Amino acid sequence: MRVPRIRRIRFATGGLALATAGALALPAGTAVAATAPVPPAATGGRGTPSATTAAPLVSYVVNTKANHGQVKKAEREITALGGTVVYSYEQIGVIIARSADTRFAAELRQSRTVDSVGASRTKGIVQNDLETATEVAAPAAAPADGTEPLEANQWDLRQIGADKAHRTTLGSRNVVVGVLDSGIDATHEDLAPNVDPALSVSCIDGGKPDTDWKAWQPTTSEHGTHVAGTIAAAKNGKGVVGIAPNVRLAAVKVVDDGGFIYPEYAICGFVWAGQHHFQVTNNSYYVDPWMFNCKADPDQAAIVEGVRRALLFSQRNGVLSVAAAGNANIDLAHKTTDTSSPDDTTPGSRPIDGSCLSLPVELPGVVVAAATGSNGDKSYYSSYGLDKVTVAAPGGDARYQTPDTPDRNGRILSTVPGNKYAYMQGTSMASPHVAGVLALLASSHPWAGPDELRHLLTSQADEHACPTSVYDPGGTGSYKATCEGGLQNNGFYGAGVVNAAKAADWWRW
């Protein structure tokens, strides 16, 4: 989901945004030079020479067995075919490779060492409404009542009881939320106290982790900084306040300057989260270039498998991941057509079914967040689906739901780079509300693992019934949606709207 979807809403607003505890000893990943010259010839997977067809340099996800020997063997076969190994995640048996040979994937699939291989994008590697930010000016001083200067405009916090939660706890410094996004402005006055540079990383250099401070700072997008503020903007008398303003944030940059979140970036991000045992990650995006990855396609099947392995690795290391449902008003339980993929070249229309998955939204164990507006009802753009949506949270709806706040702005107010603040809306904004509530739960229930945190989240959510008729905000038919399910679980709100006030109470179990 390219970010300026945030061009298109890549991040939670235009495209689809879109466990088990345990510790593993982790062997370090291996990196090799990432430039791939095109050889005059290459060796086929069965040892026979094959003609090399020059084409743009393309990145591939190569899946093999998760052990050192098999990974090294697969690396040698990649090299023999004229490819280049960018980075190997031995923990999960996933190798990120590059090749400019159009026959590379077909040849490598002949190898008994390789489980699957797929191109992670449909164009060569280049060295680029809903989520458009509207900036606001911050008052010079905090109100006398002890709230933050802009908190009166944060209707979203009051909707989920975060203001009440703060009377009990601001969250624990032992809790880390990984923000897999476009980077976080670590110099922002409201975020600097909580961003942990030692846990932050960039994954956009071909899927290799880069811990240099500049590498994980935002460049072309405000998205990650906005998301971070919703989760944990400090309560320090400046600007806004986050849902869990005392927890730590890790910036995990998975969005490149073109706004894309390619599979290798997400794989790197989830493995990093697992290696460093974050309690929660927020994922306000879908993995590009396919809004839905269909298992019948060998490239897309390999992408699904690689991202699934990385996510599972993080879950086994105690990480619970939250993802945005998406901003296309799609019923994820009854999807039939994809008209936006591939989004890195020329999209076309193709039939899809339940075997075609939006990543990471439709992977097992992910908490999926739908969006609500200030009235508490489904945001007009929010995707939905029975047994697809886990919970709902404020994402904003400036078109049909207007709050009684000084600005009367129905979007979500949060931090943006340069010590600024701005409004944005999308399921990208709903997801960090859920991540913030989970951070409070992890703070008040430090013994809870991913499964327990998920149970607490859903059991404490405020139930919200489906509309009694077809939902048609504005009455024009442009955003019609049908909600399926009952009070305790339905397609619009899942188990209900998250409740931060309950999450702050340690005795609730």
Side-chain angles (χ1 to χ4, degrees):
M1 175 180 188
R2 254 177 89 176
V3 169
R5 298 155 230 335
I6 306 193
R7 248 175 308 201
R8 179 187 71 182
I9 339 187
R10 252 184 167 312
F11 274 119
T13 259
L16 286 187
L18 275 21
T20 331
L24 299 178
L26 308 176
T30 56
V32 187
T35 53
V38 181
T43 301
R46 298 187 185 279
T48 58
S50 62
T52 299
T53 305
L57 187 65
V58 172
S59 182
Y60 292 88
V61 175
V62 181
N63 300 308
T64 184
K65 302 297 183 293
N67 65 66
H68 178 76
Q70 289 295 99
V71 169
K72 288 302 178 184
K73 185 177 180 182
E75 287 179 351
R76 290 193 293 271
E77 294 183 5
I78 289 167
T79 302
L81 286 170
T84 301
V85 174
V86 177
Y87 202 80
S88 293
Y89 292 96
E90 291 186 5
Q91 309 96 321
I92 59 175
V94 175
I95 302 168
I96 308 304
R98 288 179 177 178
S99 175
D101 182 357
T102 58
R103 293 286 303 160
F104 177 77
E107 294 283 2
L108 193 56
R109 287 179 187 131
Q110 298 180 48
S111 169
R112 295 180 180 178
T113 305
V114 172
D115 296 335
S116 59
V117 54
S120 68
R121 57 192 76 190
T122 62
K123 71 172 183 178
I125 297 169
V126 179
Q127 299 304 73
N128 98 61
D129 137 341
L130 284 180
E131 294 183 2
T132 300
T134 301
E135 293 184 6
V136 299
D145 62 4
T147 60
E148 301 297 275
L150 293 172
E151 192 172 345
N153 285 309
Q154 291 186 273
W155 59 266
D156 50 309
L157 298 192
R158 294 183 288 279
Q159 185 179 94
I160 64 172
D163 53 334
K164 297 176 182 177
H166 294 167
R167 300 171 192 168
T168 302
T169 182
L170 300 180
S172 169
R173 297 302 284 177
N174 294 326
V175 173
V176 177
V177 179
V179 180
L180 277 65
D181 213 291
S182 61
I184 301 174
D185 180 1
T187 67
H188 195 290
E189 61 184 5
D190 246 347
L191 297 174
N194 292 336
V195 177
D196 191 335
L199 296 176
S200 297
V201 70
S202 171
C203 286
I204 65 172
D205 182 12
K208 294 184 297 183
D210 182 352
T211 58
D212 182 79
W213 188 88
K214 291 183 179 179
W216 50 267
Q217 288 301 292
T219 47
T220 60
S221 172
E222 302 170 319
H223 196 270
T225 301
H226 194 279
V227 164
T230 296
I231 298 168
K235 191 171 178 61
N236 58 1
K238 300 175 181 178
V240 297
V241 65
I243 294 165
N246 196 48
V247 304
R248 287 181 291 156
L249 295 166
V252 182
K253 190 172 183 178
V254 296
V255 182
D256 65 24
D257 287 351
F260 292 99
I261 306 92
Y262 286 115
E264 56 267 35
Y265 306 165
I267 289 168
C268 169
F270 284 125
V271 172
W272 182 269
Q275 287 176 321
H276 295 84
H277 304 285
F278 300 165
Q279 282 82 359
V280 180
T281 71
N282 185 80
N283 304 268
S284 292
Y285 61 87
Y286 69 77
V287 172
D288 296 299
W290 305 97
M291 180 180 280
F292 298 99
N293 291 269
C294 299
K295 296 180 180 179
D297 180 280
D299 287 320
Q300 295 166 44
I303 290 171
V304 171
E305 178 61 14
V307 177
R308 184 197 68 81
R309 291 185 187 190
L311 176 68
L312 181 60
F313 174 82
S314 71
Q315 292 168 341
R316 288 174 173 169
N317 282 275
V319 182
L320 181 58
S321 290
V322 185
N327 306 316
N329 193 34
I330 291 174
D331 185 348
L332 295 172
H334 301 287
K335 49 186 181 273
T336 59
T337 307
D338 177 12
T339 60
S340 63
S341 303
D343 60 11
D344 61 345
T345 48
T346 303
S349 180
R350 59 177 180 145
I352 58 172
D353 57 26
S355 68
C356 300
L357 306 179
S358 178
L359 304 179
V361 167
E362 295 187 272
L363 290 177
V366 174
V367 173
V368 179
T372 60
S374 61
N375 296 345
D377 298 325
K378 175 187 176 299
S379 300
Y380 69 91
Y381 54 79
S382 180
S383 290
Y384 57 100
L386 181 62
D387 296 327
K388 297 291 185 177
V389 169
T390 310
V391 288
D397 185 344
R399 183 167 298 184
Y400 300 115
Q401 301 181 53
T402 303
D404 184 17
T405 58
D407 283 356
R408 295 187 62 78
N409 194 314
R411 293 180 289 174
I412 305 300
L413 180 60
S414 188
T415 48
V416 291
N419 285 334
K420 297 178 181 179
Y421 302 87
Y423 287 100
M424 298 174 76
Q425 70 179 26
T427 55
S428 282
M429 282 66 252
S431 184
H433 283 81
V434 177
V437 171
L438 283 168
L440 290 179
L441 283 168
S443 299
S444 58
H445 302 78
W447 57 86
D451 288 340
E452 292 82 6
L453 289 176
R454 183 188 182 99
H455 171 73
L456 285 165
L457 179 77
T458 55
S459 64
Q460 294 179 7
D462 295 327
E463 295 173 345
H464 193 314
C466 286
T468 55
S469 59
V470 174
Y471 189 62
D472 185 14
T476 65
S478 298
Y479 302 101
K480 288 174 65 174
T482 300
C483 183
E484 297 178 317
L487 182 61
Q488 296 182 334
N489 179 41
N490 61 64
F492 280 11
Y493 310 102
V497 179
V498 295
N499 189 313
K502 292 179 182 178
D505 295 332
W506 66 267
W507 47 268
R508 291 183 185 273
W509 183 253

